[in-house]
Amino acid sequence: MGVAFATADAQVSRADPEYTGPDRIEEWSDRRILVVTPHPDDETFTSGGTLALLAARGNDIQVVVYTTDNAGSRDPEMTKDRLKAIRRAEEEEACRILGIPKENIHWLGHDDGMLEYVDRRELTRQVAREIRRFKPHALFSVDPGSPSEQYHKSDHRSGAIITVDAIRAARWRLYFPELEAEGFDAWSVPLVFFYYSANPNYTVDITEVAEKKARASAAHISQFGSLVDRYDPGKVDEQRKVWAARLLERAERENDRVVERFRRSEAY
Ligand SMILES: [Zn+2]
């Protein structure tokens, strides 16, 4: 029993306390934000409210997507090329709703579910290049520490690790020196917000944009509901409305406020 208590204590002590300092990202304006996401829906589902708040305050938000998300359908008539086009249009619509123009979405173009089989060095270089290009004041990506991301979901597992490796490679000029030759100088990302975290320490009140986030999430309608089994374009509008209402109802709440939670990490 003593051992069990010791284990429980150790687990509790590993979690960071909630950040209560003065630097609230949701109050930023005129800064650069970079989102690096495995699939074109993860950032909407986890961070869409925070991104909508940041977009409304005039921050420059750029989104880098690892995969084209071209495999997640059970429709017997679906093809990879068609699904890739559907997912691209859905991401553009979701970003439009959040206030991010489609020109700010950058597709690395890897196959859905196959990120672990992409050359790791090349993939890290690709992301480091994007970090050095956009020079973000804050970066959003998948938490490499949560059990689901560590063990279960391949593109998340891989994307999470590659992102943190790329943050390091962006910081040191002698990692990928060819990037410096291309004009992409070293950049230290000062602040990282990890989503899908098992140890969140930062809570954003997104109540005022919760409805907007639900609509943006429902824009990814081929990812869930009946359209996963059979993609019928005639049902898209109706299903988006149904799911926007459902997602708003299911949104994470704390004291009647709708919230998003992240693991905030300084000077990564
Ligand atoms: Zn995903």
Side-chain angles (χ1 to χ4, degrees):
M1 190 177 237
V3 172
F5 273 120
T7 305
D9 286 348
Q11 283 170 353
V12 168
S13 67
R14 273 205 299 273
D16 289 343
E18 179 79 7
Y19 173 81
T20 54
D23 184 21
R24 302 296 310 182
I25 191 169
E26 60 272 37
E27 293 169 6
W28 283 12
S29 54
D30 302 320
R31 307 265 196 107
R32 295 183 300 274
I33 312 292
L34 180 61
V35 181
V36 184
T37 185
H39 304 117
D41 66 349
D42 297 310
E43 88 290 5
T44 320
F45 291 155
T46 59
S47 322
T50 304
L51 296 176
L53 291 170
L54 288 167
R57 296 179 67 91
N59 295 281
D60 174 25
I61 304 173
Q62 304 287 335
V63 181
V64 170
V65 192
Y66 278 106
T67 72
T68 57
D69 217 359
N70 58 351
S73 171
R74 286 186 287 269
D75 186 335
E77 289 172 18
M78 186 55 75
T79 65
K80 283 189 142 187
D81 281 347
R82 184 171 170 230
L83 192 55
K84 175 181 171 178
I86 290 168
R87 297 275 155 92
R88 177 182 282 256
E90 287 178 345
E91 175 73 343
E92 289 178 357
E93 174 62 4
C95 283
R96 186 192 66 75
I97 293 168
L98 298 177
I100 305 167
K102 65 181 179 187
E103 295 75 27
N104 293 18
I105 308 170
H106 311 278
W107 301 87
L108 297 186
H110 300 291
D111 267 341
D112 191 9
M114 298 293 148
L115 209 51
E116 275 180 321
Y117 309 108
V118 178
D119 182 86
R120 287 176 71 96
R121 187 182 187 284
E122 174 54 21
L123 195 52
T124 306
R125 196 188 71 86
Q126 281 185 342
V127 179
R129 187 175 189 275
E130 298 304 279
I131 293 169
R132 288 181 177 207
R133 175 150 66 125
F134 296 118
K135 300 183 169 28
H137 297 105
L139 187 150
F140 285 74
S141 197
V142 190
D143 196 337
S146 87
S148 169
E149 314 321 318
Q150 279 185 71
Y151 305 122
H152 303 304
K153 198 154 184 185
S154 59
D155 292 337
H156 291 203
R157 188 167 63 213
S158 192
I161 298 300
I162 296 293
T163 300
V164 295
D165 286 353
I167 290 170
R168 176 160 293 108
R171 181 182 192 178
W172 297 99
R173 58 177 291 269
L174 294 177
Y175 278 53
F176 303 114
E178 68 271 28
L179 291 177
E180 202 173 53
E182 282 180 55
F184 300 114
D185 290 339
W187 178 257
S188 290
V189 178
L191 199 53
V192 184
F193 288 84
F194 293 105
Y195 54 76
Y196 291 142
S197 180
N199 295 303
N201 62 355
Y202 191 92
T203 306
V204 180
D205 181 340
I206 63 153
T207 309
E208 67 178 90
V209 290
E211 188 272 337
K212 190 181 270 194
K213 178 189 178 180
R215 270 192 296 120
S217 299
H220 297 284
I221 196 64
S222 71
Q223 304 263 14
F224 44 90
S226 63
L227 292 173
V228 179
D229 297 313
R230 184 165 292 275
Y231 187 80
D232 178 352
K235 290 188 176 167
V236 165
D237 287 347
E238 174 242 326
Q239 282 294 299
R240 279 181 173 169
K241 287 197 183 92
V242 168
W243 277 91
R246 205 171 280 173
L247 293 168
L248 183 59
E249 198 180 293
R250 293 178 187 173
E252 186 175 0
R253 285 180 167 76
E254 185 180 287
N255 302 325
D256 290 333
R257 308 299 292 174
V258 184
V259 297
E260 284 175 346
R261 295 184 204 279
F262 305 95
R263 182 165 66 84
R264 179 189 187 278
S265 182
E266 286 180 25
Y268 200 85

